[in-house]
Structure formats: C-alpha cells, structure tokens
C-alpha cells in the first residue's frame, strides 16, 4: 500500500494517514542534526576568526595548546611584532611558522638591537610584506636598509621611528618599493646637508600619505613632497625650520588630490597657510599650536577650500584666532561636520554664524576658551539643530548653559563636560530629566591631569575620549571624598595644563610672538 518505515518504533507508519487511532504507536520525528559541541567541531576558518579577537600577546601561548591551534594560527597570522632579534635557529623557522605574514614590526632595545644582517634575512624570508615598521633600530644603517628594500617590492606602508639611517635609506625604499603608498618618518637623525630625499628623475605618483614628525632637518623632504602628485594626506608635526616655502611648493604641485593637511607646532606664517587655498579638495584641516597663524590665513584657506568637513584649530591662547575666522568658516564651509576650537576666544558672534549657516555640523568641541560661556551655549542650543555630539573642557560654563541644551539641539545624543567648575550636579540632573536618552559624561573639577593635546588626537569617527564617568541622576555628588583626597595629593599641580614646545621658545607681548631659537 506504499507504506515505508519511518522509525524503529513504527515500522508500518504511513505518511498518508497519520491517524493515531489507526496507528497506536507514537509518531517520532527524525532527530535534528547534531550541533558542534566542542571546539574540534569548528572549521578552521571559523576558528581563525575566533583567534582574531584574542589580543596578540595571548595568541602565541594559545597556539601552543595543540597542533591544530598552531596550524590554524600559522596559516592565518598576518601580523608579527618582534621585540628583539631572534636567534639564527628561530629566524630560519619563522617562514614556516608564519607563511601568510604581511605586516612586520621590529622594536629594538638597547641591549639587543636589530642589525643589518637580521633585517636583510627577514626581508628574504618575507618578500611579500605589505607593511614594515622599524622602532629604535639604531644598528640598522643605510647599507642594510638599501639591501632589505631591494627584496621588498610589494611594500605599501613603511614607518620608521628613532632610527639612525638617513636619506640614502629612505631613498632606497622609494626606489625599490614602487607600490609604496604611505610613508611615516619620526625622529630620524637627518641633519642639514646636501642630500635630499627623492633622486632626480624619480616620480612618486603612488604615494598617498606622508607623515613627518620631530625632524631636525625635515626640509630635505621638499623634493619628495613636490613630486608626490598623488598625495592625499600630509602631516608635519614638531619639525624645526621654516616651512612657508615648502608648503607653498606642495600647494602648487598638488592642488587636486590633497584632502587632509595637519600642521602642528611648526614655524609657518599666513603666507604658507593661505597657499593651501589652491588645494580645492581639502576636507580635513588641522592647525595646531602655530603661533603665526591668524584670522587672515584661515579666512583665505576656507575661502578657497569650500569642501571642508573637519576643522581643528588650536589657537594656543594668543588671541590671533577669533570671530573673524569663524565668520569666514560659516560663509564658505557649508559642508562642515566637525569643528574643534582649543584656546580660541570666540564669542556668540562667530559661533552663532557657524551654528546658523553650517547646517550639517554634527560634532562641536570647545577647550580652554575664556570667552565661551553660558551665552555661547545658549546660542548654539538655539541655532545648531543638527548637532549630535558636544564636548566642553575648561571653559567658564555653569549650570545655566547646561540647562540651555535641554531646550535646543533636538538631535543631541552625547555631551561631555570636563574641568568646568561652574557645572554642578543640579544642572546635570535637570538635563537628564529633560533628555532621558542623552549620554552625559561629567568631570566637573577636572582632577584627571591630561594634556589638552589629547582632544585633538581623536579618532576619525568622533572626538577623542575624555576621561570621566557616565552620569546618572541618582549619583550626584559621588566621588567628592576622592576628589578632596586627590586634590590634597596633587597640591599646586592640580588643574594646571603644561604645554611643552621643545623646538622654539616664544614670549608673547600683546599677542605678538617674539623670541629666539
């Protein structure tokens, strides 16, 4: 009759007639597939994905648990950091241990530095490296760097810090690594001389990002900066010397693709700053602690670069940047999404113009400004309807300004208040009652002695984290005892901000910098 057995308990069960009266035996469904119950049941790809979330220091001991863990970790490990040179026996085993390695970091110590021979052997073992970092490799010379670069034709990112090789070593990387896209040089011992980075006849259209930090003679990179016609990001931080002419040359050579420029603690005037107006595609502008930067230079930049989305200005409290610069920003930067003002004594005139005209502004930060008080917050709250994140540090803001935020900024989701002594628990509690979904971080007395520089070192997505605590309505006034104790331990150092400028000492008289090296 077409019957087929469905189980051992009901050998004559028919799917066409499951009537329990006709078939007194219980109907048993087939068991579901057995799920993975142990880690041995996971496939290699899934196990490697789990390993990806384990911190690097713990992955090496984990790979010694069993042979399978070692095999999976070896095939999928792409990054490796060596704190000291490996022994010859271990060096010969590294290619088999990490066959998929693409990123290598070498960190030398004073007792066991990396030598030229070790670097050359590593370049032979891992010719497919895409990223190479050298940290404090003071025993690596130009000869070793040149020989190693000849084996690393696939290199795309190269970074060196506190090394002793010079121009010839950097030139070797540029000459042999034709696909190099990112170059970062920090504290390299290059002194003034006739050598320049970038040989004659060489072109660098593939270079996209260049970062120069703490160089004594960074002007030797002039030819490289000019020839990198595909440059999209340029950072010059704490480099000695006059940078006006170099920035002008870069702006003339690369006025189409440059989208990010970061200048911090360097000697440059409005002449060099205003030349960046040629680069029409700039979207991110960072001008940090530049004493000779004024309203005029900033106004010319924003007038030429109308696509700016992120602006960070650190006026260093010398009163050279103020409302005039903000009014110019409001007139020419309609696409602005993030504005950070540090040491800029702006008022409701300039910030009111920015709040009214920059409708896409989502992130706003104030730090160390004596003129940004309750009236400015009230102006921002009433006009800046698209604001989502607000950060206030060391400004004369009180509970009145905090309460004004509850009446405006309908899209506000996060507020951070730090070192604002006028803000108490009463204003915060009232704000929490009015805006229940608002994330509020308060550190009113500012006992955490973090430098103001931390605000401008933020991530790409939002402002940098400000140490504090998430505030709830029922913990007002908590921590006062700890605050009193910490204040007593810190003594006169509590609440001070120390700004170090190792290259140049300035004395300010009526807002005008003067001094000698």
């Amino acid at each position: 009759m077409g019957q087929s057995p469905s189980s051992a308990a009901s050998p004559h069960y028919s799917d066409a007639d499951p009537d329990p009266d006709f078939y007194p035996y219980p109907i048993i469904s087939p068991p579901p597939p057995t799920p993975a119950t142990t880690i041995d049941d996971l496939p290699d790809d899934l196990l490697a994905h789990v390993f990806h979330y384990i911190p690097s220091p713990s992955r090496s001991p984990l790979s010694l648990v069993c042979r399978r863990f070692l095999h999976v970790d070896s095939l999928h490990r792409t990054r490796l950091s060596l704190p000291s040179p490996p022994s010859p026996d271990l060096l010969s085993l590294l290619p088999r241990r990490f066959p998929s390695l693409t990123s290598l970091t070498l960190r030398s110590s004073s007792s066991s530095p990396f030598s030229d021979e070790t670097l050359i052997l590593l370049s032979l073992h891992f010719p497919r490296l895409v990223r190479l970092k050298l940290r404090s490799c003071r025993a690596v010379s130009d000869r070793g760097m040149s020989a190693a670069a000849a084996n690393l034709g696939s290199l795309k990112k190269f970074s060196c810090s506190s090394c002793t090789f010079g121009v010839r070593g950097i030139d070797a990387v540029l000459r042999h690594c034709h696909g190099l896209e990112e170059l970062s040089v920090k504290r390299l011992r290059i002194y003034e001389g006739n050598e320049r980075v970038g040989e004659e006849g060489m072109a660098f259209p593939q270079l996209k990002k260049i970062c120069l930090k703490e160089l004594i003679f960074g002007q030797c990179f002039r030819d490289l900066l000019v020839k990198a016609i595909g440059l999209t990001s340029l950072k010059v931080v704490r480099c000695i010397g006059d940078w006006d002419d170099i920035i002008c040359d870069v702006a003339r050579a690369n006025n189409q693709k440059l989208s990010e420029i970061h200048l911090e603690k360097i000697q440059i005037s409005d002449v060099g700053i205003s030349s960046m107006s040629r680069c029409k595609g700039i979207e991110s502008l960072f001008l940090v602690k530049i004493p000779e930067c004024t309203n005029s230079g900033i106004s010319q930049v924003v007038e030429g670069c109308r696509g700016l989305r992120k602006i960070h200005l650190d006026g260093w409290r010398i009163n050279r940047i103020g409302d005039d610069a903000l009014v110019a920003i409001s007139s020419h930067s309609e696409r602005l999404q993030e504005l950070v003002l540090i040491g800029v004594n702006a008022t409701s005139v300039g910030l009111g113009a920015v709040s009214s005209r920059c409708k896409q502004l989502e992130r706003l930060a104030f730090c160390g400004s004596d003129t940004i008080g309750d009236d400015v917050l009230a102006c921002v709250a009433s006009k800046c309807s698209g604001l989502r994140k607000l950060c206030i540090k060391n400004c004369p803001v009180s509970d009145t300004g905090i309460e004004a935020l509850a009446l405006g900024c309908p899209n506000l989701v996060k507020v951070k208040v730090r070192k604002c002594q006028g803000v108490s628990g009463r204003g915060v509690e009232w704000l929490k009652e009015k805006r229940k979904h608002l994330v509020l971080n308060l550190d009113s007395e500012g006992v955490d002695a973090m430098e103001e520089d931390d605000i401008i070192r933020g991530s790409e997505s939002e402002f940098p984290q400000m140490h504090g605590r998430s505030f709830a309505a029922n913990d007002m006034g908590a921590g006062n005892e700890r605050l009193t104790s910490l204040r007593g331990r810190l003594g006169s150092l509590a609440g001070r901000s120390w700004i170090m400028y190792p290259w140049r000492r300035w004395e300010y008289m009526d807002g005008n910098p003067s001094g000698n090296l």
Side-chain angles (χ1 to χ4, degrees), residues 273-301:
I273 293 174
S274 60
S275 67
M276 294 185 294
S277 61
R278 298 172 178 264
C279 307
K280 308 296 183 182
I282 292 181
E283 296 183 356
S284 299
L285 177 64
F286 289 71
L287 299 176
V288 181
K289 291 182 172 63
I290 300 179
E292 299 179 20
C293 177
T294 66
N295 290 322
S296 176
I298 296 175
S299 299
Q300 295 183 55
V301 172

Side-chain angles (χ1 to χ4, degrees), residues 87-142:
S87 62
D89 296 336
L90 181 59
L91 189 61
S92 61
L93 295 177
L94 285 179
R96 286 183 291 173
R97 174 67 172 85
F98 305 104
S100 303
L101 196 68
T102 58
S103 178
L104 179 62
T105 301
L106 307 181
R107 304 178 184 272
S108 288
S109 61
S110 56
S111 59
S112 57
F114 282 90
S115 62
D116 289 342
E117 290 73 18
T118 303
L119 180 62
I120 295 172
L121 287 176
L122 287 173
S123 66
L124 291 172
H125 290 327
F126 303 105
R128 295 184 298 174
L129 281 181
V130 176
R131 186 171 185 174
L132 176 63
K133 293 183 180 181
L134 303 180
R135 298 291 182 264
S136 302
C137 296
R138 296 182 174 87
V140 176
S141 64
D142 288 330

Side-chain angles (χ1 to χ4, degrees), residues 1-16 23 25-31:
M1 299 277 309
Q3 294 179 348
S4 60
S6 60
S7 66
S10 56
H12 303 293
Y13 172 70
S14 174
D15 293 336
Y23 294 101
Y25 301 103
I27 301 175
I28 301 176
S29 302

Side-chain angles (χ1 to χ4, degrees), residues 178-486:
H178 302 287
L180 192 68
E181 298 178 356
E182 298 183 15
L183 175 65
S184 178
V185 180
K186 181 178 181 181
R187 288 196 295 269
L188 203 63
R189 296 185 180 181
I190 299 178
Y191 301 97
E192 188 172 359
N194 297 324
E195 294 181 326
R196 298 291 186 272
V197 176
E199 294 180 349
E200 295 183 3
M202 294 180 63
F204 312 99
Q206 77 284 355
L207 266 178
K208 297 180 181 180
K209 296 182 180 181
I210 297 180
C211 179
L212 307 177
K213 290 186 178 182
E214 300 178 16
L215 299 178
I216 297 177
F217 186 60
Q219 284 75 10
C220 66
F221 287 87
R222 176 198 292 263
D223 294 341
L224 174 64
L225 296 177
V226 173
K227 293 179 181 179
I229 57 177
L231 196 64
T232 61
S233 175
L234 174 62
K235 295 183 180 181
V236 184
V237 180
R238 296 187 294 274
C239 293
I240 294 178
D242 190 356
W243 285 83
D244 272 333
D245 294 340
I246 299 178
I247 296 299
C248 289
D249 292 342
V250 172
R252 295 190 192 100
N254 188 336
N255 55 12
Q256 298 295 330
K257 297 183 179 181
L258 194 62
S259 61
E260 178 186 6
I261 188 161
H262 184 132
L263 306 179
E264 179 177 351
K265 289 186 179 180
I266 64 173
Q267 183 181 344
I268 185 173
S269 66
D270 284 341
V271 175
I273 293 174
S274 60
S275 67
M276 294 185 294
S277 61
R278 298 172 178 264
C279 307
K280 308 296 183 182
I282 292 181
E283 296 183 356
S284 299
L285 177 64
F286 289 71
L287 299 176
V288 181
K289 291 182 172 63
I290 300 179
E292 299 179 20
C293 177
T294 66
N295 290 322
S296 176
I298 296 175
S299 299
Q300 295 183 55
V301 172
V302 298
E303 184 177 356
C305 307
R306 296 176 177 263
L308 283 168
R309 299 179 182 272
K310 183 185 298 185
I311 299 178
H312 285 218
L313 301 177
D314 189 339
W316 216 358
R317 298 184 178 179
I318 59 176
N319 295 327
R320 287 194 157 199
I321 303 175
D323 286 335
D324 292 342
L326 295 180
V327 171
I329 291 174
S330 66
S331 302
H332 305 292
S333 304
E334 297 180 355
R335 300 180 182 178
L336 189 65
Q337 297 178 353
E338 177 174 319
L339 177 62
V340 176
L341 302 177
I342 303 175
V344 176
N345 289 328
T347 65
S348 57
V349 176
L351 289 171
V354 172
S355 302
S356 300
R357 299 175 184 175
C358 302
K359 300 298 184 181
Q360 300 183 24
L361 187 64
E362 296 182 353
R363 300 176 294 275
L364 184 61
F366 308 123
C367 178
S369 301
D370 297 333
T371 58
I372 296 180
D374 294 337
D375 57 335
V376 174
L377 281 188
C379 179
V380 171
S382 61
K383 297 181 179 180
C384 201
S385 59
L387 192 65
R388 294 178 56 83
K389 298 177 182 179
L390 177 63
C391 176
I392 309 169
K393 176 184 175 183
N394 197 16
C395 294
V397 177
S398 68
D399 290 338
T400 304
I402 297 298
E403 293 173 358
L405 297 176
L407 306 177
C409 300
N411 295 317
L412 197 63
V413 296
K414 181 182 291 187
V415 176
K416 294 184 180 181
V417 181
R418 186 167 172 227
K419 291 187 179 181
C420 297
Q421 298 182 1
V423 179
S424 66
R426 180 182 60 84
V428 175
E429 183 178 6
W430 190 84
L431 180 59
K432 289 290 292 184
E433 291 178 357
K434 297 296 182 181
R435 307 288 287 272
K436 297 184 181 300
H437 299 289
L438 184 66
V439 178
L440 185 60
N441 189 286
L442 175 66
D443 182 10
S444 60
E445 294 294 336
V447 296
D448 186 7
M450 177 184 291
E451 292 186 358
E452 294 175 2
D453 292 344
D454 293 340
I455 285 191
I456 60 174
R457 297 182 188 142
S459 62
E460 296 294 330
S461 59
E462 65 172 287
F463 297 127
Q465 296 296 325
M466 298 175 61
H467 291 281
R469 59 189 178 91
S470 298
F471 216 91
N474 58 355
D475 65 352
M476 303 300 167
N480 288 336
E481 296 180 358
R482 289 181 309 218
L483 174 60
T484 304
S485 175
L486 182 58

Side-chain angles (χ1 to χ4, degrees), residues 138-154:
R138 296 182 174 87
V140 176
S141 64
D142 288 330
R143 179 189 66 84
M145 198 66 236
S146 301
N151 304 322
L152 302 175
S154 301

